[in-house]
Amino acid sequence: MNMPEHITQEFLDLIKLPNPNSNAKRLNYLLVMPRIAMNDDTIYMMPYGLCLVSSALKASGRNVFTLNLNYKTNPYELLRQEIVNNSIDVVATGGLSGQFSLLKEILDTAKSVNQNIITITGGGIITADPNVAMEALETADYGIIGEGEIAINDLAYALENNEDINSVAGLVLPDGTITAQRPEIANLDILPFPDYDGLELAMVLRDNLHAQSWFENNAVSITLSRSCPYNCTFCFHSSGKKYRRRSLDNIFEELDWITEKYGGSFFIINDELFISNKRFLTAFCSRIKKYNIRYWVQTRVDTVSKEILQLLKDSGCSVISYGVESADNRILKSMRKNITVEQIERAFDLALEVGLPAYGNLIFGDVEETPETIGTCLNWWKNHPQYNIFILYILTFPGTHLYKVACERGIIKDRVKYLIDNDTQINVTKMSDEEYWDIIKKVELFQIMTANGVDVDFADISEQINVLRSNLEKLVTKHKIAIWPTIFSTINLLNSISEMFVNADNVFFVNSAPKDTRLQGIERFGKSVFEPDIIMEHNIDIVLYAYTQTASAERIYERICSVIRDQYPQIKRVIRLSELLDKDFVC
């Protein structure tokens, strides 16, 4: 076992170390990272919290093994072998609510090897709704609420010495018992650095991986702070309520360690209030400039100035992410964003003036959302093509204010089933369900059309849908078609336009990673998702490209076309969805 870096005496004084008493049990621990990347050539963001928990457990001197399930052949068989070969007594894992199925498979696999094995789960999935998560996971023995670095060591000590588990703060037990609340860690500097050795950061930094979104290859995440003092309705903070930031010396000690050992060249700086303290920001930029590296930051639009943006750019910041969310002041107020559209425009204009790429999202679905507010946002989006704004939807995750509203209104009737289904795009607006899903369909089509250079007014979108429906149904009568890449949002959009097209026997769902998490819920359409070789088996001659995530649409389109040219010469044509908006389309 490799010991983590930066083990402080202050941290060791806070945790319960193994009892040298010969009567204490000597347990073997296995910490497991879920399989986040479904494709072996795709980057994923290392879960910083899980890496810290692994370091914290190792720092105690306990016998800890680690297993990263990403980039592994037969990962769950490998998990079984690890448990058997290392005589594992305790399996620990953790993650977010959206990773429910990944976490459950780890726990279920562990219990299938040995029913007496002790299973521990932590992270946002537990903190957001502890009893619901434990009931849904079924095979978790203990859940850790909130920060896990100290809690997991206290729990380990209780297990080793047969102490009363109820005396360990910050736990949820299978019977629903929630133990005393654990205080937040006041001084983040005392924590060990993340266990990047044990959880294989080097695998993520390989040169042959495809970067996602605006993150580059060789991207390493570093977290400067915890929590946020704001209370946006769609957000949930699993690390406590009080905002705490690490010292500059501690941050740069970790940065030195990462660059020297792993050679990361692009850093994702996680700090909700990165720009809020000008003195801190100035000192940070002065120090990081010497490293000659690139980095990404996120911030609020009401904190920026031209001077600050220039400072960031000059120090190596190559991209900034703004919290936008809406272009309607009524919705921004309802979201508790405490910003205005005017501030959003000013922040983007300043970034353009300085030459620092800036990004943001519009997310539709607030409780006060109406067709009018959505139309306002879309027209604003269309009229500001110089801004890098992506269109997304509010996902109602456990723990958020919107989740609580949905439960109180009876929109979420069964919280356990809701977590298991992971179908988090629900209607919490004032619109009827029929009206909501109809307008979502129109929004999806509007952004695809606009992104493909089609000039359309949102008010006229219904007419365009009729043209699209006609051409889809005409196409399916003459060809065998592969929808590639298939993701749930794409099929849902196409189904809302033409069920006849989606249900046709000669329409095939294709994805290079049939177990991609973005396919969750696809079973409702009654079809299987195939790997691309189905094209050869069924003599498919048309590929329909209808990817709805505009941030990476062009890159994915080019990759698919390249694969088709090399491997599937019988494909006569790759048709983009925007082509089907032509009334004179010929198939």
Side-chain angles (χ1 to χ4, degrees), residues 33 47 93 296 343 372 434 484 526:
M33 182 189 292
T93 189
W296 169 95
Q343 289 173 319
E372 179 190 0
E434 182 180 1
W484 186 14

Side-chain angles (χ1 to χ4, degrees), residues 107 111 118-122 125-127 129-146 151 154-156 158-159 163-182:
L107 300 172
K111 288 291 188 181
I118 298 168
T119 51
I120 304 171
T121 312
I125 189 172
I126 296 292
T127 308
D129 207 339
N131 291 130
V132 166
M134 291 295 284
E135 184 177 344
L137 289 168
E138 296 181 302
T139 49
D141 293 318
Y142 304 107
I144 294 178
I145 301 171
D154 288 0
L155 175 55
L159 294 172
E163 289 192 348
D164 181 11
I165 300 297
N166 287 278
S167 66
V168 180
L171 299 184
V172 55
L173 311 183
D175 64 2
T177 299
I178 295 179
T179 63
Q181 184 174 349
R182 180 174 292 277

